[in-house]
Amino acid sequence: NEWRSRKKVEIIQYVMLKWGFALIIGLGTGLVGFFNSFAVENIAGFKLLMTTSLMSQHRYVEAFLAYAGVNICLAAAAAALCAFIAPAAAGSGIPEVKAYLNGVDAHQILSPSTLFVKIFGSILGVSAGFVVGKEGPMVHTGACIASLLGQGGSRKYHLTCPWLRFFKNDRDRRDMITCGAAAGVAAAFRAPVGGVLFALEEAASWWRSSLLWRTFFTTAVVAIVIRVAIQFCATGKCGLFGEGGLIMYDVSSSNITYSVNDILVVLLLGAIAGILGSIYNYLVDKVVRTYSVINERGAAFKIFLVVSIALLTSCCFYFLPWITNCSPCPSGSTMSCPSLDESGEYKSFQCPPGYYNDLASLFLNTNDDAIRNLFSPRIVKEFHISSLFIYFATIYFLGIITYGIAIPSGLFIPVILAGAGYGRLFGRLVESMTNLDRGLFALLGAASFLGGTMRMTVSLCVILLELTNDLLLLPLVMLVLLVSKTVADCFNKGVYDQILKIKGLPYLEAHAEPYMKNLVTRDVVSGPLITFSGIEKVGNILHALNGTRHNGFPVIDEPPFSDAPELCGLVLRSHLLVLLKEKIFSRDRGFADKSILQTISSLDFGKPGSGKGIKLEDLDIKVEEMDMYVDLHPITNASPYTVVETMSLAKAAILFRQHGLRHMCVVPKSQGRPPVVGILTRHDFMPEHVLALYPDIKPHKWQ
Amino acid sequence: NEWRSRKKVEIIQYVMLKWGFALIIGLGTGLVGFFNSFAVENIAGFKLLMTTSLMSQHRYVEAFLAYAGVNICLAAAAAALCAFIAPAAAGSGIPEVKAYLNGVDAHQILSPSTLFVKIFGSILGVSAGFVVGKEGPMVHTGACIASLLGQGGSRKYHLTCPWLRFFKNDRDRRDMITCGAAAGVAAAFRAPVGGVLFALEEAASWWRSSLLWRTFFTTAVVAIVIRVAIQFCATGKCGLFGEGGLIMYDVSSSNITYSVNDILVVLLLGAIAGILGSIYNYLVDKVVRTYSVINERGAAFKIFLVVSIALLTSCCFYFLPWITNCSPCPSGSTMSCPSLDESGEYKSFQCPPGYYNDLASLFLNTNDDAIRNLFSPRIVKEFHISSLFIYFATIYFLGIITYGIAIPSGLFIPVILAGAGYGRLFGRLVESMTNLDRGLFALLGAASFLGGTMRMTVSLCVILLELTNDLLLLPLVMLVLLVSKTVADCFNKGVYDQILKIKGLPYLEAHAEPYMKNLVTRDVVSGPLITFSGIEKVGNILHALNGTRHNGFPVIDEPPFSDAPELCGLVLRSHLLVLLKEKIFSRDRGFADKSILQTISSLDFGKPGSGKGIKLEDLDIKVEEMDMYVDLHPITNASPYTVVETMSLAKAAILFRQHGLRHMCVVPKSQGRPPVVGILTRHDFMPEHVLALYPDIKPHKWQ
């Protein structure tokens, strides 16, 4: 609609701007990702150095107090940020971004305060030693940056730019937020291609090939920013940051061979991981529901919960290594043992000189270093079966009870940690049956656990590839992903879908429910239909806006303006409000004249940022104006999507979702009736609504 | 429609079968891919060994005759297969698969004879030393295997299975062919993830997340098949096959660093490659148009053309190395120099002992080994600037004049060869300005050339990653792909789109043309509309089927069967033919009774394989039957996609393409008119048709 009236120079400006924004999103997200790693590795690194140095002086109580104290302070700070500034920043953020890209405009999800808390809360939370990651928060951060750019800055903080009005529509904003989500994964895992695929497979509900290219560009920018930052830091200017290089957990294995026997073992690994993954999802679901009851009671409860979990985590991490026996240092190692630096390949802990504590090198470490330890091949490092079991059980348990507390918390790292522990443990248990390396088992375990909880395929595969540089292992990774996802899908849904459901966000599934094939669109149209004439009385419009919460109204031209009543189009509540606010009225019932049209075309009908549109209460319509007329044609969308009333509901639902619609007009199939018989919105396609109307239908599982 | 009536056990059977087919597609394509590599490496290897051994005895004329003779025989055999058995097997096959997945059912594209010729023609063609690859043919092969499975075998060769009737619809068949295309890339490049992305980015026009998972499964099967085959052949059981392992051109570089200067050089490389790539596309277009005139004259002309190009290629490859000077063998090399085996890192050619001919190691080699040589790092191998220039110019030229001759010919390998030559040459020319390795330049050159001709992004990136195992180079590869694609897109379209256009296939673009925003659906509805009543006379139907070539007809219920004329649905020509053939008629105008309904439900309304449906001439309707009635309701699709006549044409085009439709009903926006005003088909959305109706519209480029 808008597009037709644009000049060529404006189109060029639009295209340039879109690419420019993709560049800025990439730069911004890349820098935030770098800053995040930099801050976490320095804060957590110094904390661990302090603890280790106190322990080496045998001041064990002080070491614990320092360790737990720092953790609790960091945790409390993160919780306070979340509780007081932006409650929407708690949790992963991926479900919210997913819902936004599905068309759900939830409140405050992408506001500047959320962005701020997400960045700093994530740094504090990860540094505090929680079993949480930064990738979910990074995805959310990328989406927030994109959203702020897309709405031309924040009106609340007086950072707006009227020049950016081109992007005030759903489609452009979703495109940019998709780029932001991809950039987030790219920055968190240093995995640019994985980011694109994540956005495609998990985040986005609509996809076009031009979008593929734009996300690719954004993540390429992220990759280059991070590459430059790593090269800059290689000289030691960034404190403890810089380990891992571009590939975070490089395992680049030598040439591996495997037999049919090995493949059978790997299949078993995948199947068990699928079961463990679905149990994980089930328990996370229960825990989040419990926590949300606690969190609703107020900020103090939120902070208390966070601090309790922080204390529990600190206790587990500090005291569990005491259980295990000390291992003698390997003789031929190139690394010093016990190690002196913060990454701690061989933590001394309570052990005498020449010995190290294998469990401490997992627990008293950053998450990244723990993963590196688990992925390391057998010749470099060996773990006791008991250590691995303790580690796996603890992380599995802590991962479940940590998600849902009021801090920004990603789910990838906990799942990778638990999966790597599980895989390495599994590898030790079956070592008589296979000669695959245990480091590879740890990697396969991580892959299968991710498959069992997240239920993604290609994107996980590429992310793992970019994380570990293990191209030769690709066939096995694909295999375990397939097995674990298949097994886990028999029991429940992916963890993000579950969280979406807990949050009550009306997410439209990609496929229609089977029973929808037996219904037609007419069957679910509900409520009285409110339509406007092409030229309508102000009073009627006000009355309608007051009386309903609908956001779209069909406009119908009637005689004398047409031969018969005919569908003119659809008008949006927000556009009506602009017209009413500006008082574009006329005394007589007729088409608006030229001068009024020009006034209208200069108004801002762009989609406002979150919750900043005109409210009904802002209007000040006088009584004498109530009888005046408004010409709705200039603001009517003349080609709304329509379906015939006998269209199968399943088909209509797929059409609705695939085109990212907000309203769909239902037209009659026969003559002699009004030209529109109803309006369908997102709500009408939700299974809850349909099943409430037809309680006899039994939803069954097979699609 | 069909779905509603299925029982649960049938649905389970359907799901199992779909996965089973994906498994078989993966196995089949994987085995063909292995067989192809095995045959090519042995045939071409023995040819090269023979030539080399004759040359080492200084029998140069005999060597040339042997070399050229073998090439010409192989080429003639490939051309004869193509010319006499399956002309549709010539060329890459990717454009045809792309068109099929867009909804174009071109004749013979996926028949068993095409499959046969594609497999053996590709082996012969690649062995004959042409500058062609196997990846396009492998994609086509995968698609053919999928199609044959999907239509339940070939009726012509009496290999049908009635049990497979579930898959006789467009959607399922397209899903399987998408899997086949992905499997083809996975088998050709040993790149499973790249295959999935290729299918997503380039091949498929419609995409669902469940399809992502199924293609992923298929390519995982391919990867495992190839992995097993390589492990089997590692013991030397497969002759000369087995080099390269799972990663075809392993360059796994050491840690590379680059400065801003290097990045600028790489940007220049990408920009020039973009220009060269678009020139390549332009010239391929011209050459293919010229060749198609020659090829149309008959089989003899086709074979003559192929043999001429084979002779030219042999002459170039054999005589050009004589120009170059001999290089002394490197002292510290681990490989024997001059080399004795067929892969020929250091070809002796005409050089004295202790020297080698660098150009011969590119020309007198298989394409795969030439690429390996070009990608090898500087310390291993050095090429003269003049050698690289000769090589690049020759391959660029031969690649252009080879595509279009009547053999199965992939485009990836020629482009990679030319690109690698270009990149290495570029690297030598700028060696004073950068310290990036020349092997890396060759890789970046290949990436940028691919970007400049194919215009893909993510899939190329992943395919190159899987081909070369160079994760650290990923940011630079992404950068050159972006630059070269952007530059090349300014001039013309991707090479596959061009070939689609030359072949005259009505491909629907993903985005609508800008001028379509100014038109509505009513504007392009053309021709008289033919509708049927719900219960229609046999004579009328026959007359209508005879009189038009439409494939879909709206069915309209009229009084007394409804209150007012109303749209009942859409009926397909193929379904009408089944009904007429089975003579499901009745004497009186009324609804069909139960017994007839049962007869109908047992009939085969599935989409037939290519060109095997019932023809109008097959019908044998007697004169007295012409006045009988047919109840069309049981075969009517009751929820066709509809648009209102004032819907913007651009929106309708996107809807049509996104849902993979074949027909779309246009309904009136006002009362008092027939319930359908027209039918839109693929043809109505083609720019040629629209521009013919409205010659005043000037198509312009900005989208």
Side-chain angles (χ1 to χ4, degrees):
Chain A
N1 193 19
E2 251 191 277
W3 188 266
R4 297 184 204 175
S5 56
R6 285 197 198 163
K7 296 184 202 94
K8 194 157 180 175
V9 59
E10 286 181 308
I11 296 176
I12 295 174
Q13 190 190 354
Y14 167 85
V15 171
M16 298 298 290
L17 213 58
K18 248 188 145 172
W19 285 103
F21 275 2
L23 178 71
I24 299 174
I25 294 168
L27 285 176
T29 314
L31 288 175
V32 170
F34 162 65
F35 175 68
N36 186 312
S37 299
F38 167 74
V40 166
E41 294 194 23
N42 279 296
I43 298 175
F46 282 116
K47 177 187 77 182
L48 291 169
L49 274 181
M50 186 175 63
T51 313
T52 315
S53 99
L54 284 170
M55 290 194 77
S56 66
Q57 302 162 37
H58 303 286
R59 292 156 70 180
Y60 296 122
V61 177
E62 284 163 48
F64 173 70
L65 290 179
Y67 179 70
V70 171
N71 280 350
I72 287 172
C73 290
L74 292 170
L81 279 179
C82 259
F84 295 117
I85 300 182
S92 158
I94 291 176
E96 285 88 347
V97 173
K98 209 175 150 176
Y100 184 91
L101 291 176
N102 192 262
V104 183
D105 289 355
H107 190 55
Q108 284 292 327
I109 280 183
L110 299 171
S111 69
S113 57
T114 308
L115 173 61
F116 173 80
V117 172
K118 208 87 198 186
I119 296 175
F120 290 94
S122 168
I123 291 173
L124 293 169
V126 176
S127 308
F130 282 117
V131 185
V132 298
K134 63 176 180 182
E135 55 316 303
M138 277 306 301
V139 169
H140 199 163
T141 301
C144 284
I145 293 175
S147 167
L148 289 179
L149 278 175
Q151 65 192 50
S154 159
R155 201 176 294 176
K156 194 168 160 196
Y157 301 98
H158 304 291
L159 291 165
T160 55
C161 179
W163 192 62
L164 306 178
R165 68 194 159 83
F166 285 135
F167 294 101
K168 296 217 156 186
N169 64 63
D170 272 338
R171 183 182 145 126
D172 285 333
R173 206 166 298 165
R174 283 174 196 152
D175 282 3
M176 292 178 57
I177 287 172
T178 309
C179 288
V185 171
F189 289 131
R190 305 175 195 170
V193 179
V196 173
L197 292 179
F198 173 83
L200 163 65
E201 188 175 359
E202 185 66 21
S205 295
W206 307 290
W207 194 264
R208 305 189 310 284
S209 59
S210 62
L211 191 53
L212 191 71
W213 194 22
R214 190 161 290 126
T215 43
F216 185 76
F217 173 73
T218 316
T219 60
V221 172
V222 173
I224 288 165
V225 167
I226 291 192
R227 188 72 184 67
V228 168
I230 287 175
Q231 204 152 334
F232 173 78
C233 290
T235 48
K237 292 183 192 125
C238 311
L240 304 174
F241 168 79
E243 216 175 334
L246 195 62
I247 295 157
M248 290 176 76
Y249 319 122
D250 200 338
V251 299
S252 46
S253 47
S254 53
N255 207 353
I256 51 158
T257 54
Y258 38 87
S259 61
V260 176
N261 212 17
D262 297 326
I263 291 181
L264 290 179
V265 170
V266 165
L267 287 177
L268 182 66
L269 171 103
I272 296 176
I275 295 170
L276 287 172
S278 62
I279 296 174
Y280 193 92
N281 286 5
Y282 175 78
L283 294 175
V284 163
D285 185 277
K286 295 288 159 223
V287 167
V288 170
R289 282 178 199 275
T290 315
Y291 282 177
S292 63
V293 176
I294 301 175
N295 285 338
E296 271 165 20
R297 289 181 157 200
F301 284 87
K302 283 187 185 177
I303 297 175
F304 175 75
L305 186 60
V306 171
V307 169
S308 327
I309 301 289
L311 187 61
L312 179 65
T313 308
S314 303
C315 290
C316 287
F317 281 19
Y318 188 83
F319 292 115
L320 285 174
W322 293 90
I323 301 176
T324 195
N325 297 320
C326 292
S327 316
C329 281
S331 50
S333 172
T334 53
M335 277 163 285
S336 63
C337 173
S339 51
L340 305 167
D341 65 340
E342 91 295 349
S343 73
E345 293 277 331
Y346 300 106
K347 288 264 178 195
S348 162
F349 210 67
Q350 93 289 16
C351 295
Y355 286 82
Y356 74 99
N357 186 316
D358 62 350
L359 204 46
S361 59
L362 296 177
F363 274 132
L364 276 190
N365 231 333
T366 58
N367 293 336
D368 283 354
D369 282 323
I371 293 174
R372 264 179 224 124
N373 274 325
L374 286 169
F375 282 176
S376 58
R378 185 187 178 180
I379 41 162
V380 176
K381 192 71 173 286
E382 193 49 286
F383 292 96
H384 295 294
I385 290 184
S386 60
S387 303
L388 287 170
F389 181 77
I390 293 170
Y391 184 72
F392 165 65
T394 313
I395 294 292
Y396 191 80
F397 169 72
L398 284 177
I400 289 166
I401 64 161
T402 304
Y403 192 85
I405 61 174
I407 58 165
S409 44
L411 272 167
F412 268 85
I413 293 292
V415 171
I416 292 179
L417 279 171
Y422 154 75
R424 188 128 194 160
L425 175 64
F426 187 91
R428 288 233 45 178
L429 293 176
V430 298
E431 59 190 345
S432 59
M433 295 155 65
T434 170
N435 39 29
L436 284 181
D437 190 86
R438 276 147 219 174
L440 300 185
F441 265 112
L443 173 55
L444 292 176
S448 58
F449 238 64
L450 283 169
T453 51
M454 313 275 168
R455 317 285 165 87
M456 292 179 258
T457 50
V458 187
S459 46
L460 281 181
C461 211
V462 174
I463 289 174
L464 281 170
L465 182 64
E466 294 190 300
L467 276 176
T468 60
N469 199 6
D470 69 319
L471 205 59
L472 286 167
L473 212 56
L474 190 60
L476 287 185
V477 170
M478 292 176 91
L479 201 67
V480 290
L481 275 175
L482 279 169
V483 172
S484 64
K485 178 174 153 71
T486 310
V487 169
D489 271 345
C490 297
F491 299 108
N492 51 22
K493 285 189 161 190
V495 67
Y496 295 130
D497 289 324
Q498 288 193 337
I499 296 169
L500 269 175
K501 203 150 210 174
I502 298 173
K503 299 217 165 204
L505 298 171
Y507 186 83
L508 275 181
E509 295 290 340
H511 58 87
E513 301 289 329
Y515 54 81
M516 288 191 182
K517 302 196 178 177
N518 300 317
L519 295 170
V520 297
T521 50
R522 182 175 49 195
D523 297 336
V524 297
V525 167
S526 59
L529 176 69
I530 296 165
T531 60
F532 293 133
S533 292
I535 294 157
E536 186 60 88
K537 265 195 187 169
V538 173
N540 291 350
I541 296 177
L542 261 186
H543 181 73
L545 294 183
N546 252 323
T548 69
R549 298 183 59 226
H550 294 181
N551 282 314
F553 303 89
V555 176
I556 292 176
D557 270 333
E558 278 159 357
F561 299 104
S562 67
D563 299 336
E566 62 178 42
L567 176 62
C568 170
L570 193 80
V571 69
L572 295 182
R573 171 183 283 259
S574 59
H575 292 182
L576 284 173
L577 287 170
V578 173
L579 221 56
L580 292 181
K581 173 141 203 205
E582 300 293 330
K583 305 206 171 182
I584 318 278
F585 308 148
S586 68
R587 294 233 158 262
D588 33 77
R589 196 174 171 210
F591 290 108
D593 58 28
K594 283 263 165 71
S595 66
I596 291 183
L597 282 180
Q598 273 169 1
T599 324
I600 289 175
S601 68
S602 70
L603 290 177
D604 181 16
F605 289 104
K607 188 175 160 63
S610 42
K612 291 184 200 103
I614 301 169
K615 301 265 181 326
L616 201 52
E617 303 87 61
D618 303 344
L619 297 182
D620 175 33
I621 308 282
K622 299 192 187 70
V623 178
E624 67 268 26
E625 288 170 336
M626 298 294 257
D627 280 335
M628 293 173 79
Y629 287 94
V630 184
D631 183 1
L632 298 180
H633 292 99
I635 61 163
T636 300
N637 171 8
S639 60
Y641 283 88
T642 56
V643 289
V644 174
E645 55 181 343
T646 49
M647 168 80 112
S648 136
L649 187 61
K651 271 190 181 176
I654 288 168
L655 192 137
F656 192 90
R657 144 115 188 193
Q658 279 200 355
H659 292 265
L661 306 183
R662 295 196 183 275
H663 304 95
M664 190 183 245
C665 297
V666 182
V667 297
K669 72 167 180 170
S670 59
Q671 297 297 306
R673 290 161 60 198
V676 181
V677 299
I679 288 260
L680 291 178
T681 62
R682 165 176 300 269
H683 172 69
D684 298 312
F685 291 107
M686 299 308 295
E688 297 79 12
H689 175 243
V690 177
L691 291 176
L693 285 175
Y694 298 94
D696 299 341
I697 296 174
K698 278 189 212 103
H700 65 111
K701 244 198 117 189
W702 286 98
Q703 10 159 338
Chain B
N1 193 19
E2 250 191 278
W3 187 268
R4 296 185 205 175
S5 55
R6 285 199 198 161
K7 297 184 202 93
K8 195 155 180 177
V9 59
E10 284 181 309
I11 295 176
I12 294 174
Q13 189 190 354
Y14 169 84
V15 171
M16 300 298 290
L17 213 59
K18 248 188 144 171
W19 285 103
F21 274 2
L23 178 72
I24 299 174
I25 295 169
L27 285 175
T29 314
L31 287 175
V32 171
F34 162 67
F35 175 67
N36 186 312
S37 299
F38 167 75
V40 166
E41 294 194 22
N42 278 298
I43 298 175
F46 283 116
K47 176 186 76 180
L48 291 169
L49 274 182
M50 183 175 65
T51 313
T52 315
S53 99
L54 285 170
M55 290 193 78
S56 67
Q57 302 161 39
H58 302 285
R59 294 156 69 182
Y60 296 121
V61 177
E62 284 165 294
F64 173 71
L65 290 179
Y67 178 71
V70 171
N71 281 350
I72 286 173
C73 291
L74 292 170
L81 280 179
C82 259
F84 295 117
I85 301 182
S92 158
I94 292 177
E96 285 88 348
V97 172
K98 208 176 150 177
Y100 184 90
L101 291 176
N102 192 262
V104 183
D105 289 354
H107 190 56
Q108 284 290 328
I109 280 183
L110 300 171
S111 68
S113 57
T114 308
L115 173 61
F116 173 79
V117 173
K118 208 88 198 186
I119 295 174
F120 290 95
S122 169
I123 291 172
L124 293 169
V126 176
S127 307
F130 281 117
V131 185
V132 298
K134 64 175 179 183
E135 54 316 303
M138 277 306 303
V139 169
H140 199 162
T141 301
C144 283
I145 293 175
S147 167
L148 288 180
L149 278 176
Q151 64 192 51
S154 160
R155 200 176 295 177
K156 194 170 161 194
Y157 301 99
H158 305 290
L159 292 166
T160 56
C161 178
W163 193 62
L164 305 178
R165 70 193 158 84
F166 285 134
F167 294 100
K168 297 217 157 186
N169 65 61
D170 271 339
R171 184 181 142 124
D172 286 332
R173 204 164 300 166
R174 282 174 196 153
D175 282 3
M176 293 179 56
I177 287 172
T178 309
C179 288
V185 172
F189 290 131
R190 305 177 195 168
V193 180
V196 173
L197 293 177
F198 173 82
L200 162 65
E201 188 175 359
E202 185 67 20
S205 295
W206 307 288
W207 194 265
R208 306 187 310 284
S209 60
S210 62
L211 191 53
L212 193 70
W213 194 23
R214 189 161 291 127
T215 41
F216 185 77
F217 172 74
T218 314
T219 59
V221 172
V222 172
I224 289 164
V225 167
I226 291 191
R227 188 71 182 69
V228 168
I230 287 175
Q231 205 152 335
F232 173 77
C233 290
T235 47
K237 293 182 192 126
C238 309
L240 304 174
F241 169 78
E243 215 174 335
L246 195 63
I247 294 156
M248 289 176 77
Y249 319 120
D250 200 339
V251 299
S252 47
S253 49
S254 53
N255 207 354
I256 50 157
T257 53
Y258 37 86
S259 60
V260 176
N261 212 16
D262 296 326
I263 292 181
L264 290 179
V265 170
V266 165
L267 288 178
L268 183 67
L269 172 103
I272 297 176
I275 295 169
L276 287 171
S278 62
I279 296 174
Y280 193 93
N281 286 5
Y282 174 80
L283 292 175
V284 163
D285 185 277
K286 294 288 159 221
V287 167
V288 171
R289 283 178 198 275
T290 315
Y291 282 179
S292 63
V293 175
I294 301 176
N295 285 338
E296 270 164 21
R297 289 182 159 201
F301 284 85
K302 284 187 185 177
I303 297 174
F304 175 75
L305 186 61
V306 171
V307 169
S308 328
I309 302 288
L311 187 61
L312 179 64
T313 308
S314 303
C315 291
C316 285
F317 281 17
Y318 187 82
F319 292 115
L320 284 174
W322 293 88
I323 302 175
T324 196
N325 297 319
C326 293
S327 315
C329 280
S331 50
S333 172
T334 53
M335 277 162 285
S336 64
C337 174
S339 51
L340 304 167
D341 65 339
E342 92 293 349
S343 72
E345 294 277 331
Y346 299 105
K347 288 264 177 194
S348 162
F349 210 67
Q350 91 290 18
C351 295
Y355 287 80
Y356 73 99
N357 185 317
D358 62 351
L359 204 46
S361 59
L362 296 177
F363 274 131
L364 275 190
N365 231 334
T366 58
N367 292 337
D368 283 354
D369 282 323
I371 294 173
R372 263 179 224 125
N373 273 325
L374 285 169
F375 282 176
S376 59
R378 184 186 179 181
I379 42 163
V380 176
K381 193 72 171 288
E382 192 51 284
F383 292 96
H384 294 295
I385 291 184
S386 60
S387 303
L388 287 170
F389 181 77
I390 292 169
Y391 184 72
F392 164 66
T394 312
I395 294 293
Y396 191 80
F397 169 72
L398 284 177
I400 289 166
I401 65 161
T402 304
Y403 191 85
I405 63 175
I407 56 165
S409 45
L411 272 167
F412 267 85
I413 293 292
V415 171
I416 291 178
L417 278 172
Y422 154 75
R424 189 128 192 159
L425 174 64
F426 188 92
R428 287 229 50 174
L429 293 176
V430 297
E431 60 190 344
S432 59
M433 294 155 66
T434 170
N435 38 31
L436 284 180
D437 189 87
R438 276 147 219 175
L440 300 185
F441 265 112
L443 174 55
L444 292 176
S448 58
F449 238 65
L450 284 169
T453 51
M454 312 276 167
R455 316 285 165 87
M456 293 178 256
T457 51
V458 186
S459 45
L460 281 181
C461 211
V462 174
I463 288 174
L464 280 170
L465 182 65
E466 295 190 300
L467 276 176
T468 59
N469 198 8
D470 69 322
L471 205 59
L472 287 167
L473 212 56
L474 189 60
L476 287 184
V477 170
M478 293 176 89
L479 201 66
V480 290
L481 275 176
L482 279 168
V483 173
S484 65
K485 177 174 153 72
T486 311
V487 169
D489 271 344
C490 297
F491 299 109
N492 51 23
K493 285 189 162 188
V495 68
Y496 295 129
D497 290 324
Q498 287 193 339
I499 296 169
L500 270 175
K501 203 151 211 175
I502 298 173
K503 299 219 165 202
L505 298 171
Y507 186 82
L508 274 182
E509 295 290 339
H511 57 88
E513 301 288 329
Y515 54 79
M516 288 190 181
K517 302 197 176 175
N518 300 315
L519 294 171
V520 297
T521 50
R522 182 177 47 195
D523 297 337
V524 297
V525 167
S526 59
L529 176 69
I530 295 165
T531 60
F532 293 133
S533 294
I535 293 158
E536 184 62 87
K537 264 197 186 166
V538 174
N540 290 350
I541 295 177
L542 260 186
H543 181 73
L545 292 182
N546 252 323
T548 71
R549 298 184 57 227
H550 295 182
N551 282 313
F553 303 89
V555 177
I556 292 177
D557 270 334
E558 277 159 356
F561 299 104
S562 67
D563 297 336
E566 61 178 43
L567 176 62
C568 171
L570 193 80
V571 68
L572 295 182
R573 171 183 282 261
S574 59
H575 293 182
L576 284 173
L577 286 170
V578 173
L579 219 59
L580 292 181
K581 173 140 204 205
E582 300 294 330
K583 305 205 171 181
I584 316 279
F585 307 149
S586 68
R587 295 234 158 261
D588 32 77
R589 195 173 172 209
F591 290 108
D593 57 28
K594 284 265 166 70
S595 66
I596 291 183
L597 281 180
Q598 273 168 3
T599 323
I600 289 176
S601 68
S602 69
L603 290 178
D604 181 17
F605 287 104
K607 188 175 160 61
S610 42
K612 292 185 201 104
I614 301 169
K615 301 263 180 330
L616 200 53
E617 303 86 63
D618 303 343
L619 296 181
D620 176 31
I621 307 284
K622 300 193 185 69
V623 179
E624 68 266 27
E625 288 170 335
M626 297 293 257
D627 280 334
M628 292 174 79
Y629 287 94
V630 185
D631 182 1
L632 299 181
H633 291 99
I635 61 162
T636 300
N637 170 9
S639 60
Y641 283 88
T642 56
V643 288
V644 175
E645 55 181 344
T646 50
M647 168 80 113
S648 135
L649 187 61
K651 272 190 180 174
I654 288 169
L655 192 139
F656 193 90
R657 147 116 188 192
Q658 279 199 355
H659 292 265
L661 306 183
R662 294 197 183 274
H663 305 95
M664 190 183 246
C665 297
V666 182
V667 298
K669 72 166 179 171
S670 59
Q671 298 296 307
R673 290 160 60 196
V676 181
V677 299
I679 289 260
L680 291 178
T681 61
R682 166 178 298 270
H683 172 70
D684 297 311
F685 292 106
M686 298 309 293
E688 297 80 11
H689 175 241
V690 176
L691 291 175
L693 286 175
Y694 298 94
D696 298 342
I697 296 174
K698 278 188 211 105
H700 64 110
K701 243 196 117 189
W702 286 98
Q703 11 158 339

